[in-house]
Amino acid sequence: MSELVPGGNLPLPGGALTLRVSGPFDVSALVTDDSGTVRGDADFVFYNQPAAPGARLSGETLTVDPAALRAGASRVTVVVSPAEPGTPLGRLPAPTLRVTGAGGRLLARFTPPRPERETVLLLAEIYRRGTAWKLRALGQGYADGLAGIARDFGIEVSEDADAGARSEPAPAPAPAPAPAGMHSSGMRGSGTGGPVADGFLGLVNSARAAVGSAPVALDARLTAAARAHAATMAARGRLGSEGADGLSVHQRVTAGGYAYLTIGEHLVSGPRDPAEFVEYCLSGERTRRTVQDPAFTEAGVACVPDGRSGTLYWTALWARPLTPAGLTRTAAEVLALTNAERAAAGLPPLVEDPLLTRAAQAHSADMVARAFYSHTAPDGSEPWHRAAAAGSARRTIGENIACGQRSPAEVVQGWMDSPGHRANILKPAFTHMGVGFAGGGSAGTYWTQLFGA
């Protein structure tokens, strides 16, 4: 079973899947093709229309059989909204998605960062890559309810009639008069030259100074990546961390030659100028935390209009560049935090092992380069093979991997919250460890712990 983070993905076995979200939520789904839009209202599965080819909703459970989807369908997006219309999701427990396969085997679980004022959430998507199907965790919030999502996916919604979406009051988006409402993933960013960047940078650095964070500087490579990603969102008329070309926002950053140690972004539609954009980014706890995060030293921002509606699509990228010293410091922090957990359990500390570090670093880099997330590499190699190839003669090997976490503290906490990963960290027999980290890929960051005895 995989514990997913936003942006994390998982290959799926064949056959039907069961997706369940328990609690005070309504579950719905949108069936789309490669364009990201539905063919018609029949592709919107919700409480008043609980079935479509290959997808059926029963209470809090959605069953999806990818092989039975309508012709041309390549993606099913799972949506959750409050059972009580108009209730901000921040007032409810964070929704947890459980995905099971044949025989009831639990395949994955995903709990997104807790939303705030959003009233609907794109929770996950099942999508086709070649002939295989995969699951990707999303966690993207909307402030204007199911009607906003329906419009973004190409469904016509009447303001005075129920046309496939539950009628619910739409909270005023912030800032108020944005043309198409505010939608935000809530975590992460980039920059661009000219008036947009100039207005953005002053406002951002003022907000950072208010909490004692050093100013960020604009970087041309982050700016170019932000502009490319904003353009692909505007062309599709919808927000997303991945464009129609299959590239994630993080892959655009690394493809432009920017290697990072940590990264964040804001993806937003609607603000008409830098002041409205920054105001929106500062309006929520999670989005404000990204703007003011002291870990970031560089940024880039861009906005591109949707040629049909004129709505501006914004991408802001925030990063700290990768340096050898920074990578060494990050690995040392992971080791120190791991040893703190072992000390609390009465266990001796692990010793940094250069050969295990070499193998761990190679695996993190390989996951980014070959776009996979697994203990088994595409060539079939396993952790013990990688350790031996690096020259290690240790007889017992264990491995933890993770993706999407932005700091050593976040990744170690995530491992400790997972029983299998925790068992490796607290295994008495292990005496040495290596740490690997690489930025890029669909999830943004890839971490490896390689243990040895």
Side-chain angles (χ1 to χ4, degrees):
M1 192 276 291
S2 294
E3 290 279 359
L4 297 179
V5 298
N9 58 66
L10 177 74
L12 293 170
L17 304 162
T18 300
L19 301 94
R20 182 172 183 175
V21 181
S22 299
F25 305 105
D26 282 338
V27 179
S28 49
L30 292 136
V31 180
T32 60
D33 53 26
D34 289 337
S35 72
T37 58
V38 298
R39 284 188 176 176
D41 291 354
D43 283 345
F44 190 11
V45 179
F46 68 115
Y47 64 98
N48 269 350
Q49 184 172 275
R56 177 170 294 277
L57 180 65
S58 178
E60 59 189 23
T61 300
L62 175 71
T63 301
V64 176
D65 183 355
L69 294 171
R70 64 157 173 83
S74 59
R75 192 176 306 257
V76 178
T77 303
V78 182
V79 180
V80 292
S81 55
E84 183 65 31
T87 302
L89 286 166
R91 298 181 187 174
L92 304 176
T96 295
L97 173 68
R98 295 170 60 88
V99 182
T100 57
R105 182 169 69 92
L106 183 61
L107 302 175
R109 184 167 53 201
F110 172 53
T111 303
R114 187 170 181 175
E116 296 176 4
R117 296 183 303 168
E118 293 91 339
T119 56
V120 66
L121 194 68
L122 300 186
L123 193 56
E125 60 184 5
I126 297 166
Y127 65 101
R128 186 174 61 214
R129 182 67 78 228
T131 59
W133 289 84
K134 304 178 77 173
L135 172 74
R136 179 184 289 112
L138 297 175
Q140 176 185 324
Y142 279 64
D144 51 354
L146 287 175
I149 284 186
R151 290 188 186 95
D152 276 6
F153 279 76
I155 298 174
E156 293 294 329
V157 178
S158 169
E159 293 297 339
D160 55 2
D162 185 358
R166 173 176 290 183
S167 175
E168 53 183 329
M182 302 289 177
H183 313 153
S184 175
S185 66
M187 303 275 299
R188 311 189 180 139
S190 165
T192 174
V196 170
D198 293 341
F200 166 83
L201 193 63
L203 293 166
V204 161
N205 282 335
S206 176
R208 290 175 65 84
V211 295
S213 293
V216 292
L218 291 173
D219 181 89
R221 294 162 298 177
L222 292 176
T223 294
R227 186 180 296 112
H229 196 72
T232 193
M233 291 192 299
R236 299 176 74 185
R238 57 172 291 196
L239 295 169
S241 60
E242 183 179 288
D245 55 6
L247 291 179
S248 73
V249 64
H250 309 108
Q251 288 169 317
R252 295 185 200 283
V253 172
T254 54
Y258 190 102
Y260 55 81
L261 194 60
T262 186
I263 194 165
E265 86 266 356
H266 291 101
L267 310 177
V268 180
S269 66
R272 298 166 300 183
D273 55 40
E276 285 190 357
F277 174 63
V278 174
E279 180 184 356
Y280 177 72
C281 293
L282 294 173
S283 66
E285 181 182 353
R286 286 189 298 117
T287 52
R288 182 173 62 253
R289 193 163 58 238
T290 300
V291 174
Q292 298 176 329
D293 193 333
F296 299 131
T297 60
E298 297 178 335
V301 66
C303 62
V304 176
D306 178 338
R308 294 153 295 190
S309 67
T311 298
L312 290 179
Y313 282 79
W314 295 76
T315 298
L317 291 166
W318 316 80
R320 175 183 290 269
L322 179 69
T323 63
L327 183 59
T328 299
R329 184 172 60 252
T330 296
E333 288 180 29
V334 172
L335 178 61
L337 290 165
T338 299
N339 281 335
E341 298 291 349
R342 287 177 65 89
L347 297 170
L350 300 172
V351 177
E352 193 273 333
D353 183 311
L355 297 179
L356 294 180
T357 295
R358 182 187 304 169
Q361 182 61 36
H363 188 55
S364 287
D366 192 29
M367 287 191 288
V368 170
R370 292 201 276 180
F372 73 97
Y373 176 64
S374 174
H375 295 289
T376 304
D379 59 9
S381 62
E382 302 284 358
W384 44 92
H385 299 136
R386 294 189 285 272
S392 175
R394 300 200 179 277
R395 300 177 64 183
T396 303
I397 295 293
E399 183 179 80
N400 286 344
I401 58 174
C403 65
Q405 296 83 358
R406 296 193 302 171
S407 68
E410 187 179 344
V411 73
V412 172
Q413 186 60 56
W415 280 326
M416 289 299 294
D417 289 341
S418 169
H421 299 90
R422 179 187 180 95
N424 271 343
I425 288 174
L426 300 182
K427 186 170 182 176
F430 287 142
T431 57
H432 291 73
M433 187 180 79
V435 176
F437 168 83
S442 59
T445 56
Y446 291 78
W447 305 78
T448 303
Q449 277 183 317
L450 198 58
F451 304 90

